[in-house]
């Protein structure tokens, strides 16, 4: 059902970054549901985490362990989010880290846990600890595809991408990332996990700045700026096995650009694989007073069930778009200069329906699997681009039957 | 499909308030789709309207006409919202008012227009003007039930209720109201219209105060404080045919209480008839710092598609409730004192899952057609009660096929 999305045929190995996968039958047996990424001693890490007040146990533990600045391994499971599990959940996450650390010759606080899946159930710790034993002995630089598969929950397609960047002086670095997430009607409730690595040697502060820059136009353009699900996390690792790179280098913008591009491809893949999605929709908001205002309008439209069901039906019921724009939290909002278009078909200009708009033209755009809803507020130069999917029967089926 | 909702068998006539209905085949033929309420010269009116920046033409015209303080008639149509119709839409709304006024011996600005239905299409003015002729000659104090039926769009059940109040000294007044609205997954996008009348004689200021007091715990507890659809409106009329009543009278609180109770019944009827609804859910939020904070949490949970699909499935996936609470926009939110219960089944206490919670108990509550999700934030005395419905296949079908 994913919209123009296929699993990557291959992903570039990142020197120094080794993955392993194993089956712990966390939710059900039959496929790998755990993955481990081990990084060399030279590695640095950056991460962004959910701001949900009920942040899951693994998120809390990962943040604590990150704070030591000594992290070396990421331990991921699908099938159970270990969220809403109280003190027992924290102990379970720590136990998993300890087991992995013991096998890898690390301290427990050098292992960061990540979980995604059902909320409110205890992890099957025994089965997971057995799987961790398997993980520790199967690490491989060519493990990215297998890891992309193991971290899926309702994802129908494994998500990953690679980039190579020439950062000058003939020096080439590689970037590879994987992601999971597909509950996209309200992206701020879907668990989104992303793990990106490069072989460049980058200090922690620069790496953190690069990650935050890349997030703004990628994962944060499909999700409401981090105050998202209980488990969201995006990690960026620099193994240090390759060339050194710092924010003052001439090659730095090329690196950030490639990272942003990679993150955007992963973020868009999550939307394309949105639960029950049949359309990939770009909301291009311009003419706002500032980017935040543009984002508010974009997300209000993107979150509108009435807009999303009209998109599913391919019905150019553009009044629903207009109604959503009109209820966005925008101060002193006059519609007199608002323009709305579906791809190249103008619907509204200067706040009025376009006289020459023909419904057949709107329907032709909405029959496409991908199109842009362009909204110009006519009151400034603030812009934002948001990606979203439609709302189908299949979305309801997936989420009504998720635990069965 | 409505949850424990049947159409009223009868509605009390309100002396002085006369309704008529007629068929204009606005969207399709076969049922009355216009209604007219005529009030006597003694009448006063109060109204609240949508805050959507794209407020529909009839809303703008109604607000202008209200401002004259001379309003005498309400002209309502279903099937077409006359929203997003630009200057032409304003002219059409005014033309309808003028036609009705001419037939009723009023000025055009004494007639307030109300429309609900598809957005972005011009009214079929010719057919409507013919129907207005019929309306003007069919006015009847016993017309409430017929009017409740004529203003429906996707409503499966006509909605109305009556109250009688003894305001002291043996004086009895009557209150009758009708409402329409059923797009409830995000109530702030459903058009909700409500028309309530009493035979009491009440001055405009007092009437306005009574309406605003009643809204807080009724229509504004199912919708986000007025910044709602393009067409929302709730009107309260006092015909003046009965006893006089003012805010300083001892009977006033009885009147406001009866009005609130009536409005709540109508508002709840809208939720019970929510598009595709199979459950009627009360969100009782307590322990917030203030009522606004409680409302924010209640609406965040009420608007969560993941919570709503879990409710549809009868699945006690309470982690979704917790995740929604956690992402509400609440400042300095610590979960340490949060308690969550499904009716009498405690799920979370002091931010931790209850040890003695059994999933069968949660499932038993969620199998009920009506239940309460109680959320205590443990940080103050602010409270709010919000009513909502679940999200089903049928919701998607209704909204994907609405215009076909």
């Amino acid at each position: 059902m994913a919209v123009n999305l296929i699993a990557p045929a291959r992903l570039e190995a990142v020197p120094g970054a080794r993955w392993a996968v194993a089956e712990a039958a966390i939710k059900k047996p039959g496929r790998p549901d755990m993955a481990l990424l081990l990084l060399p001693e030279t590695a640095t890490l950056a991460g962004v985490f959910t701001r949900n007040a009920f942040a899951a146990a693994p998120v809390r533990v990962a943040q604590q362990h990150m704070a030591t600045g000594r992290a070396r391994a990421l331990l991921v499971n699908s099938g159970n989010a270990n969220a809403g599990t109280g003190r027992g959940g924290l102990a379970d996450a720590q136990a998993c880290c300890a087991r992995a650390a013991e096998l890898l010759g690390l301290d427990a606080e050098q292992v960061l846990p990540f979980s995604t899946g059902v909320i409110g159930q205890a992890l099957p710790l025994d089965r997971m600890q057995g799987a961790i034993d398997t993980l520790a002995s199967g690490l491989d630089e060519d493990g990215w595809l297998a890891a992309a598969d193991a971290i899926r929950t309702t994802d129908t397609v494994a998500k990953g991408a690679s980039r190579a960047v020439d950062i000058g002086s003939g020096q080439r670095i590689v970037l590879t990332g994987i992601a999971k997430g597909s509950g996209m009607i309200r992206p701020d409730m879907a668990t989104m996990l992303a793990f990106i690595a490069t072989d460049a040697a980058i200090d922690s502060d620069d790496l953190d700045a690069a990650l935050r820059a890349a997030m703004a136009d990628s994962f944060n353009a499909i999700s409401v700026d981090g105050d998202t699900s209980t488990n969201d996390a995006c990690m960026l690792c620099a193994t240090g096995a390759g060339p050194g790179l710092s924010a003052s280098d001439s090659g730095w913008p090329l690196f950030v650009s490639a990272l942003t591009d990679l993150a955007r491809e992963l973020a868009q893949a999550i939307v394309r694989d949105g639960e029950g999605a049949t359309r990939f929709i770009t909301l291009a908001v311009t003419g706002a007073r500032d980017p935040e205002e543009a984002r508010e309008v974009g997300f209000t439209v993107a979150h509108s069930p009435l807009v999303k069901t009209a998109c599913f039906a391919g019905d150019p019921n553009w009044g629903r778009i207009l109604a959503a724009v009109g209820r966005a939290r925008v101060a002193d909002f006059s519609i007199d200069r608002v323009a709305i278009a579906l791809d190249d078909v103008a619907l509204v200009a200067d706040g009025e329906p376009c006289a020459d708009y023909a419904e057949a033209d709107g329907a032709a755009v909405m029959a496409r699997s991908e199109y842009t809803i362009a909204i110009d507020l006519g009151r400034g130069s603030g812009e934002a681009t948001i990606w979203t999917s439609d709302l189908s029967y299949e979305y309801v089926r997936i989420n009504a039957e998720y635990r069965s």
Side-chain angles (χ1 to χ4, degrees), chain A residues 201-203 205-207 209-210 244-253 255-256:
Chain A
I202 304 175
D203 77 29
D205 288 348
D206 286 352
L207 197 68
L245 185 65
S246 83
S248 56
D249 292 343
S250 61
W252 181 257
F255 165 70
V256 175

Side-chain angles (χ1 to χ4, degrees), chain A residues 5-12 144-149 152 157-163 176-179 262 265-266 269:
Chain A
L5 179 69
I6 54 170
R10 67 181 297 274
L11 293 169
E12 289 265 338
W144 285 93
L145 276 180
D149 193 56
R152 292 191 296 140
V157 177
K159 299 166 184 72
S162 294
R163 296 287 185 279
T176 290
I178 60 175
L262 169 61
E265 180 174 339
L266 294 176

Side-chain angles (χ1 to χ4, degrees), chain A residues 57-215:
Chain A
V59 170
R60 295 174 189 215
V61 173
Q63 287 177 304
Q64 286 166 12
H65 289 189
M66 267 291 282
T68 67
R70 300 172 56 234
R72 289 277 307 283
L74 312 185
L75 180 64
V76 195
N77 74 270
S78 58
N80 185 318
N82 191 14
T85 44
R87 282 178 288 270
L90 288 170
D92 288 350
Q94 279 155 340
C96 289
C97 292
R99 179 66 157 250
E102 186 185 342
L103 295 164
L104 298 169
L106 301 172
D107 295 333
E109 65 187 15
Q110 291 183 283
V111 181
L112 312 188
F114 301 87
S115 298
T116 176
V118 173
I119 300 178
Q121 294 184 2
L123 292 177
L125 205 57
D126 284 353
R127 295 201 299 276
M128 290 177 68
Q129 291 196 325
I132 289 170
D133 297 352
T134 307
L135 289 171
S137 60
L139 293 157
D140 182 349
E141 282 189 356
D142 285 322
W144 285 93
L145 276 180
D149 193 56
I151 65 176
R152 292 191 296 140
T153 53
T154 56
D155 303 61
T156 67
V157 177
K159 299 166 184 72
S162 294
R163 296 287 185 279
V165 191
D166 181 345
I167 57 170
S169 312
Q171 291 190 304
R172 177 183 181 276
I173 61 171
V174 64
L175 281 155
T176 290
I178 60 175
K180 67 77 51 182
S182 63
M184 283 305 304
I185 178 176
R186 287 286 299 238
D188 50 342
M189 286 182 295
T191 285
M192 184 191 78
L193 294 178
F195 305 103
I196 305 173
T198 178
D199 58 336
I202 304 175
D203 77 29
S204 297
D205 288 348
D206 286 352
L207 197 68
D208 191 68
L211 176 60
R212 288 171 196 280
M215 291 294 285

Side-chain angles (χ1 to χ4, degrees), chain A residues 305-356:
Chain A
L306 290 178
V307 171
K308 291 169 101 73
T309 47
C311 291
F312 169 55
D315 174 7
N317 191 337
W318 55 270
R320 294 184 182 180
I321 300 170
L322 181 146
V325 171
R327 72 182 175 80
R329 299 181 190 190
V330 172
D332 310 319
F333 187 23
S334 160
I335 64 165
D336 295 349
R337 293 182 176 186
V338 170
I340 301 175
L342 291 173
D343 278 353
D344 55 346
V345 177
L347 301 174
V348 172
D350 292 332
E352 296 267 334
C354 295
D356 61 349

Side-chain angles (χ1 to χ4, degrees), chain A residues 314 316 342-343 345 357-371:
Chain A
L342 291 173
D343 278 353
V345 177
Y357 167 70
E359 182 144 319
D361 297 337
V365 172
M366 292 185 78
R368 297 171 189 160
S369 59
E370 306 194 12
Y371 55 86

